[in-house]
Amino acid sequence: MVRFQNRSDAGKRLAEALTDYRDQQQLIVLALPRGGVPVAVEVAAALRAPLDLLLVRKLGVPNHEELAMGAISSNHSLVLNREIIAQLRISEATVASTRAHEERELLRRDRVYRDDRAPPEIRERTVILIDDGIATGATMRVAISVLRAQAAAKIVVATPVVPSDVARPLQQEVDEFVYLIKPEPFYGVGFWYEDYMQVSDEDVIAALNKSWGSPAQALLQLRK
């Protein structure tokens, strides 16, 4: 089965599957930082659509952070995977402390990435929501709930790779779900990339500055 060279390669391929949206009025491409940004940059450029961010954070299981027990957004939307929480006997106190930690990180990222720039207007717009891959779907479900609350006219989730057992229920939650591969066994998002290097704050800021047409800003002191 196909593997992607890197996130940029995946974004170019994903854009080919989304050509029907090119030059549409009221279209916006939203990336889930950080990994979704390099993918979304290519899609937004190919579709000639504005690019912005939707800030969400996975709530990772302690000592197994890649496993999501839930996710939150910057507007405090919350989705919990009660099955994982019960199966691993994760206490409510642990969930609360993890949530508090990730809310602080969301606030930091909002300052670093957006500075004083207002978030985009979503009402009555078609939104293509992009990540570099979907594993459990928890983070994406929070993002979808945020867009529903903001009265998006149409929500399209687009991703290079997703497991089949996650793809099926997600398709029921959005207007359109676009993916390139649905491998079984899944192994994890990173397995399907030749280069899956971590995306840094600097990478995200550079992509946004280029897309927004603004000069680079010295915001990285806020990383601590």
Side-chain angles (χ1 to χ4, degrees):
M1 186 174 289
V2 65
R3 296 179 75 190
F4 308 107
Q5 181 180 350
N6 51 35
R7 291 178 179 87
S8 178
D9 172 48
K12 291 174 182 176
R13 298 194 201 186
L14 193 60
E16 293 176 0
L18 293 162
T19 54
D20 287 349
Y21 291 95
R22 188 176 185 183
D23 292 328
Q24 280 196 12
Q25 296 294 318
Q26 297 301 309
L27 175 66
I28 186 169
V29 175
L30 295 184
L32 299 186
R34 290 183 292 220
V37 173
V39 181
V41 164
E42 300 294 346
V43 173
L47 301 185
R48 297 197 286 228
L51 171 69
D52 216 299
L53 304 176
L54 184 55
L55 291 174
V56 293
R57 287 288 290 175
K58 175 175 63 179
L59 302 182
V61 172
N63 301 316
H64 300 281
E65 281 74 18
E66 290 305 310
L67 179 61
M69 60 180 174
I72 59 170
S73 76
S74 54
N75 74 345
H76 308 295
S77 295
L78 170 69
V79 169
L80 293 177
N81 189 326
R82 290 293 182 184
E83 182 178 352
I84 287 179
I85 290 170
Q87 185 178 34
L88 299 180
R89 299 181 180 179
I90 300 169
S91 70
E92 291 299 320
T94 297
V95 173
S97 65
T98 302
R99 179 181 182 181
H101 172 79
E102 296 301 344
E103 284 179 337
R104 289 192 294 272
E105 175 62 11
L106 278 176
L107 179 61
R108 184 196 72 83
R109 289 192 180 195
D110 189 60
R111 298 198 311 268
V112 167
Y113 299 156
R114 193 173 295 283
D115 193 20
D116 59 353
R117 182 183 175 90
E121 177 60 46
I122 299 301
R123 179 176 296 274
E124 298 183 358
R125 299 184 76 171
T126 295
V127 179
I128 299 180
L129 183 60
I130 293 180
D131 205 354
D132 59 1
I134 299 173
T136 67
T139 304
M140 189 59 75
R141 286 188 176 90
V142 168
I144 292 166
S145 71
V146 170
L147 296 178
R148 291 287 183 213
Q150 294 180 352
K154 182 176 183 179
I155 300 173
V156 180
V157 167
T159 189
V161 56
V162 60
S164 59
D165 61 335
V166 173
R168 285 189 294 270
L170 273 179
Q171 285 176 321
Q172 307 304 313
E173 298 183 30
V174 294
D175 298 291
E176 185 176 0
F177 186 43
V178 177
Y179 59 87
L180 300 180
I181 58 173
K182 192 171 62 175
E184 290 297 337
F186 177 63
Y187 298 121
V189 172
F191 179 85
W192 301 101
Y193 286 84
E194 298 290 343
D195 176 1
Y196 197 62
M197 293 287 290
Q198 183 175 355
V199 178
S200 68
D201 283 344
E202 292 94 334
D203 295 330
V204 173
I205 292 168
L208 294 178
N209 284 339
K210 182 176 180 180
S211 177
W212 293 345
S214 60
Q217 300 177 28
L219 297 174
L220 295 179
Q221 70 273 17
L222 296 173
R223 293 182 67 181
K224 295 183 179 180

